């Protein structure tokens, strides 16, 4: 079945460590996104990519980095520079690049906890 | 900056009644307004999309309205069931990449 796979579902990190969250999609979508969700708040955009080898910062990109080397993959690295990284991270995609296309398809999320 | 308000953090209603959730926004109207359902610990799932030139959209027991004058969308679930209990998110879409989400309304349907 087509969809978006995020891993790991749960991740614990010590302060000062970088961690990478995986996001893979087999929907053949051009655009991919990373959102952060905190309790009682809406989803906030971290980074997005509309095409391979290109990505843009969202509203809260500080302390995060991404890459888009393949159409199917859009990993997110939470660096030690992110001051409050404990959150629920959601990856999403939609087709195709450059147009208003409608709904986002989301993965099941990764919950990161900093100890 | 654009702000989105969803009527309340939580809404509790009796099974069989119609649930009505509100999404209000400031500033300029989006090209599209979307509604998603999110269950605890899961990713949101798309439900309905309505365009700025549409007044109403229906899908089975769901109905969405969009009033660009009031800057408001209403989301209705008729004949509500306990299985409809979830958090519902409103999202404003201005372009393919510019999608702004509200904080959601947690709906509980009691038997």
């Amino acid at each position: 079945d087509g969809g978006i796979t995020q891993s790991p579902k749960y991740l614990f990190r010590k302060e000062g460590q970088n961690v990478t969250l995986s996001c893979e999609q087999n929907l053949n979508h051009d655009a991919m996104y990373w959102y952060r969700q905190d309790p009682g708040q809406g989803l906030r955009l971290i980074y997005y990519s509309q095409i391979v080898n290109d990505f843009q910062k969202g509203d809260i990109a500080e302390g995060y980095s991404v890459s888009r080397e393949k159409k199917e993959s859009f990993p997110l690295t939470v660096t030690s520079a992110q001051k409050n990284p404990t959150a629920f991270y959601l990856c999403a995609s939609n087709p195709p690049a450059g147009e208003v296309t409608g709904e986002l398809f989301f993965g099941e999320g990764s919950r990161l906890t900093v100890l | 900056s654009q702000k989105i308000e969803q009527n309340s953090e939580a809404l509790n209603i009796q099974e069989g009644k119609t649930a009505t959730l509100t999404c209000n926004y400031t500033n300029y109207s989006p090209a599209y307004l979307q509604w998603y359902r999110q269950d605890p610990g899961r990713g949101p799932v798309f439900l309905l999309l309505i365009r700025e030139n549409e007044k109403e959209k229906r899908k089975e027991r769901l109905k969405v309205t969009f009033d660009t004058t009031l800057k408001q969308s209403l989301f209705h679930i008729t004949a509500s069931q306990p299985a409809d209990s979830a958090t519902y998110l409103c999202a404003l879409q201005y372009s393919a990449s510019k999608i702004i989400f509200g904080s959601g309304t947690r709906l509980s349907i009691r038997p």
Side-chain angles (χ1 to χ4, degrees):
Chain A
D1 286 353
I4 299 180
T5 301
Q6 290 187 239
S7 63
K9 189 165 179 65
Y10 300 96
L11 185 61
F12 297 88
R13 184 193 99 173
K14 293 182 180 179
E15 284 193 24
Q17 288 182 334
N18 293 355
V19 293
T20 297
L21 308 181
S22 170
C23 179
E24 302 279 331
Q25 55 102 355
N26 60 3
L27 299 168
N28 200 33
H29 287 174
D30 289 312
M32 297 185 74
Y33 309 79
W34 274 105
Y35 286 90
R36 169 181 172 142
Q37 187 174 34
D38 294 281
Q41 296 192 36
L43 280 64
R44 292 184 290 168
L45 183 63
I46 305 172
Y47 268 98
Y48 65 98
S49 167
Q50 293 187 308
I51 199 167
V52 174
N53 293 323
D54 186 51
F55 49 82
Q56 283 79 41
K57 293 181 179 180
D59 301 317
I60 56 165
E62 185 175 350
Y64 300 97
S65 66
V66 294
S67 63
R68 187 85 186 276
E69 297 177 0
K70 298 186 300 182
K71 187 175 184 178
E72 303 78 28
S73 179
F74 191 40
L76 173 73
T77 296
V78 184
T79 75
S80 56
Q82 169 50 235
K83 300 302 180 190
N84 184 21
T86 294
F88 189 49
Y89 291 88
L90 288 159
C91 179
S93 70
N94 68 356
E99 299 176 10
V100 181
T101 56
E103 74 265 30
L104 289 169
F105 295 76
F106 283 89
E108 289 298 327
S110 292
R111 186 169 299 280
L112 172 63
T113 303
V114 174
L115 303 173
Chain B
S1 62
Q2 184 66 283
K3 290 185 179 179
I4 306 174
E5 286 187 2
Q6 295 195 238
N7 55 329
S8 59
E9 276 195 31
L11 185 63
N12 297 292
I13 67 167
Q14 183 77 40
E15 180 178 7
K17 301 292 186 183
T18 296
T20 299
L21 284 64
T22 304
C23 176
N24 294 294
Y25 60 93
T26 59
N27 300 337
Y28 45 97
S29 292
Y32 300 81
L33 194 145
Q34 305 177 5
W35 285 88
Y36 291 80
R37 169 183 173 140
Q38 186 176 25
D39 291 287
R42 309 288 298 274
V45 174
F46 172 80
L47 295 175
L48 279 171
L49 175 150
I50 187 166
R51 293 171 171 77
E52 62 177 328
N53 60 354
E54 295 179 322
K55 296 295 185 186
E56 181 179 299
K57 183 72 77 71
R58 291 176 185 261
K59 179 182 176 182
E60 298 174 352
R61 293 184 297 111
L62 309 180
K63 184 178 83 170
V64 173
T65 62
F66 191 10
D67 188 326
T68 55
T69 302
L70 293 178
K71 298 186 178 180
Q72 181 182 78
S73 174
L74 299 178
F75 177 80
H76 306 273
I77 305 176
T78 59
S80 60
Q81 305 166 1
D84 295 325
S85 299
T87 295
Y88 291 85
L89 304 172
C90 165
L92 311 183
Q93 183 171 15
Y94 294 90
S95 68
S97 57
K98 189 171 176 62
I99 304 173
I100 303 171
F101 284 84
S103 57
T105 296
R106 190 171 64 252
L107 177 65
S108 297
I109 311 296
R110 59 182 185 274

